[in-house]
Amino acid sequence: MRALILKTHGDLGNLELVRDHPVPLVVAGHVVIRVRASSFNYHDLFTVKGMPGIRVPLPVIIGLDMAGEITKLGDGVANWKVGDRVLVNPVNKKKGLMGEMLDGGMAEYCLVSADQLVRIPDRVSFAEAASLPVAYGTAHRMLITHNTVKRSDKVLILGASGGVGTACVILAKLLGADVIACASGEEKLLRLKKLGADEEWSTTPKSIGRSGQSRSMASHNAVPMTAASTLSSISPVGIPGSPLCVASSAAASC
């Protein structure tokens, strides 16, 4: 089968497309899926480059997020059948992240533990499903699992045009919050408005001005300055009433 394999850490040029990689064999408690879509996340880039303190068992097929259909069932797998359309939770409970600690979705087939499977509704395409787990799972964990946002809260979302950011906009609105979305560029801000943001603020390398006249916000990419500049800017801008929650692709806090 074809597979995108990382053999040594480095840049994206270190990824190798092979065409004769063995198709994984099914084992007990697992299924083999025919991968129909796999998305490339920034974490995949971290895996390629290598991260301090994380020893990736190379070579490895990269790709955290994937969706496809079951082709083989291992012993002990219940409630699933060949042909079922599935999304894969990228966290393997025993080994860690798919595409990092074990082979991931950038291949034609992938071996997956049955407890990682999520059924895909008929109305959802493989590509749509494969875009969800890392970005939308992160947003769901920040806002819902940790119960950080309540109805009528004011939520400031940094880096709102990214995957995690757009998910935060959608989820915060579903929770009944007033959303202030921060991003760079008029096109991004317009799309965020269409997603439901109540206000859209343009980003610059500087924080909101103390005069309260500026609506520029530190980009979430400038992580060391984000928390301090954001929190010190809340009062001068004059955001009254409900608690202000700050969400970004790096963290969420209230």
Side-chain angles (χ1 to χ4, degrees), residues 171-193:
L171 292 176
K173 288 303 300 178
L174 289 173
L175 291 169
D178 292 328
V179 173
I180 304 169
C182 301
S184 62
E186 290 301 318
E187 182 179 353
K188 293 178 182 178
L189 295 174
L190 180 60
R191 294 183 69 179
L192 289 166
K193 183 175 183 178

Side-chain angles (χ1 to χ4, degrees), residues 198-246:
D198 298 286
E199 294 186 50
E200 306 79 43
W201 291 1
S202 179
T203 57
T204 71
K206 297 181 180 180
S207 62
I208 296 174
R210 291 188 176 277
S211 66
Q213 299 302 311
S214 172
R215 285 192 170 180
S216 296
M217 173 55 61
S219 166
H220 78 280
N221 291 320
V223 174
M225 66 182 290
T226 297
S229 62
T230 301
L231 295 177
S232 67
S233 301
I234 292 172
S235 180
V237 172
I239 302 178
S242 303
L244 179 91
C245 297
V246 179

Side-chain angles (χ1 to χ4, degrees), residues 39 65 67-68 105 107-108 128 134 147 189 210 217 237-238 244 248:
S39 59
D65 286 349
E108 292 182 275
E128 289 170 334
V134 171
N147 195 27
L189 295 174
R210 291 188 176 277
M217 173 55 61
V237 172
L244 179 91
S248 76

